Amino acid sequence: TPYCIIHNEGKINIRGTFVLGLKKVPSSKAETRLWIEKNGVFETRGNVDIGYGTDIQVFENAYLCFGENSNINSAAIIICGEKIILGNETHIGRGVIIRDNNGKHYLDIPSYKTSRPIITEDHIWYGEGATIMQGVKIGEGSVISAKAVVGSNVPPHTIVAGNPAQVVQEDIRWKF
């Protein structure tokens, strides 16, 4: 069952078909949550399916955008404190975590920021349990392996794996 809490000054912009809480097992009790704070924006730019058990939070004045023909399997967590843009054909496996912020925890370190945007290009596949940290840009056609922890930019057409994620294969191409 999807649960939505949307501030009266929050915005949802849907282009195409949007399915929230898609269940492959109809009797599942895993709840899907969408929470949008004041002036937060949730946008889809085409058909988007979000699987059951997923938790999406868009904080005050933040912007979260899904490109067309994108999907989340189930149980992902997306926490948007500033800006997350996911390109077209984004495929997110079970239990993936994408967060552009540190939950407002402050450290006394020069140039420290609690939030930095995440930008991903088109045709990205996130393997089960991958974690994408703040300030990352992921290049077109990349694959993020299962359980990878991505804290730095990912070049286009590569596979990254590990903690911290490292390039393990270059010049990969999607088959269509």
Side-chain angles (χ1 to χ4, degrees):
T1 302
Y3 294 93
C4 299
I5 298 174
I6 301 161
H7 189 280
N8 62 357
E9 293 180 43
K11 295 180 180 112
I12 297 179
N13 301 322
I14 304 297
R15 289 185 227 152
T17 302
F18 174 59
V19 178
L20 178 64
L22 181 66
K23 288 186 180 183
K24 294 180 181 177
V25 179
S27 62
S28 171
K29 300 208 186 316
E31 61 181 52
T32 305
R33 296 182 297 264
L34 175 60
W35 176 43
I36 303 172
E37 291 185 3
K38 181 179 180 182
N39 297 320
V41 177
F42 176 90
E43 180 174 291
T44 67
R45 294 186 178 164
N47 300 337
V48 174
D49 296 330
I50 296 178
Y52 66 96
T54 294
D55 183 9
I56 297 175
Q57 299 176 23
V58 182
F59 294 169
E60 186 172 345
N61 300 313
Y63 175 71
L64 171 60
C65 179
F66 283 87
E68 64 180 298
N69 299 322
S70 295
N71 62 68
I72 297 176
N73 188 324
S74 65
I77 298 172
I78 299 177
I79 310 295
C80 181
E82 184 176 336
K83 178 167 53 173
I84 298 174
I85 298 176
L86 304 170
N88 300 331
E89 299 284 341
T90 295
H91 305 285
I92 299 175
R94 291 176 183 264
V96 169
I97 298 170
I98 300 173
R99 61 179 307 141
D100 70 352
N101 65 85
N102 289 332
K104 300 184 181 179
H105 299 286
Y106 296 94
L107 298 176
D108 189 15
I109 298 173
S111 73
Y112 178 81
K113 292 183 179 182
T114 60
S115 183
R116 291 180 298 158
I118 295 172
I119 309 295
T120 70
E121 295 179 349
D122 298 341
H123 306 288
I124 309 297
W125 175 17
Y126 298 89
E128 181 174 356
T131 299
I132 311 303
M133 303 302 290
Q134 66 177 2
V136 169
K137 180 178 180 184
I138 299 177
E140 181 178 357
S142 295
V143 175
I144 311 303
S145 295
K147 308 292 185 199
V149 177
V150 180
S152 59
N153 294 343
V154 175
H157 304 286
T158 60
I159 298 174
V160 296
N163 180 2
Q166 302 292 319
V167 173
V168 295
Q169 191 164 350
E170 298 176 311
D171 199 29
I172 65 164
R173 302 288 172 202
W174 286 75
K175 258 185 162 176
F176 296 99

